[in-house]
Amino acid sequence: KFALKHLLTRGIGHTRFKQTEIGELPEEWDVKLLREVLSLSQGGIWGDEPDDSQDVFPVLRSTEIDHEGKLYLESPTLAWRKVPRHKAERYTLKDGDILIVKSSGSVHLLGRVALFRQQGEQDFLFSNFLHRLRANENVCNPLFLYYVLISPIAKQVLKQIQETTSGLRNLPMDEYLQMPIPLPPLEEQKQIADMLSTIDAAIENERKYLRVLEK
């Protein structure tokens, strides 16, 4: 958590900083609205009960996203739904897509974020309780954007939305997409994302070792 907050506000090796609407940032960085760094923002699809046709796909739901933001693509409770192939193509997830829980019976699940990583040849769709964001890779690294959306910066925006909306069960995406985010140069975005990814891998290895010890 410390590395996440530090790298997304202080960057790597900076000595000169400026005051912005989201706090102090390196002078070379910009602040952009979330919607300005996207090439795609889209709700999902649920489809129909499956039958013997070819047009049956796994549809990811919030139940496939754990509290750490990890997606379980091999979950035994994965939902398979019938969606005409011409329509399914519009909702097929691509490597680096970001999924956000936008509707839930639990306010604690709203805004939960996961990064989709393609595994094998299987096409995955996403349900209408989720929202897909795709970074414009000309300006924003997808992995960097994922880390921004799980950072205290995004959590503070979620808190503000929840405080101003009573009985919130649907995340107002128009408001969410107005979130200001830090935007370093692309090369530094990649360096920050790689550093945080290395830390995540180390944490996951320790979790696996812990499970072995518990057994």
Side-chain angles (χ1 to χ4, degrees), residues 150-165:
I150 64 170
S151 74
I153 296 169
K155 289 179 179 177
Q156 182 61 34
V157 171
L158 280 173
K159 183 180 177 183
Q160 291 170 354
I161 292 174
Q162 290 172 4
E163 286 175 349
T164 57
T165 310

Side-chain angles (χ1 to χ4, degrees), residues 38-63:
L38 302 176
S39 63
L40 181 65
S41 172
Q42 177 191 34
I45 191 171
W46 183 231
D48 301 314
E49 286 293 327
D51 55 24
D52 295 332
S53 74
Q54 299 284 321
D55 298 340
V56 176
F57 301 89
V59 179
L60 298 179
R61 300 166 292 172
S62 59
T63 49

Side-chain angles (χ1 to χ4, degrees), residues 60 71 73 92-99 114-119 122-125 146:
L60 298 179
L71 266 175
L73 302 184
T92 299
L93 290 164
K94 306 297 183 186
D95 191 69
D97 281 353
I98 296 169
L99 293 174
L115 181 72
F116 178 78
R117 288 301 196 193
Q118 185 67 49
Q119 299 176 15
Q122 177 63 59
D123 288 336
F124 286 86
L125 314 185
Y146 164 74

Side-chain angles (χ1 to χ4, degrees), residues 15 30-31 72 153 155 204-205 210:
T15 58
D30 290 327
V31 175
Y72 288 94
I153 296 169
K155 289 179 179 177
E204 183 59 27
N205 284 337
L210 176 60

Side-chain angles (χ1 to χ4, degrees), residues 184-196:
L186 265 174
E187 183 55 36
E188 189 174 0
Q189 290 179 40
K190 185 178 185 305
Q191 291 174 357
I192 291 171
D194 287 345
M195 292 173 73
L196 291 170

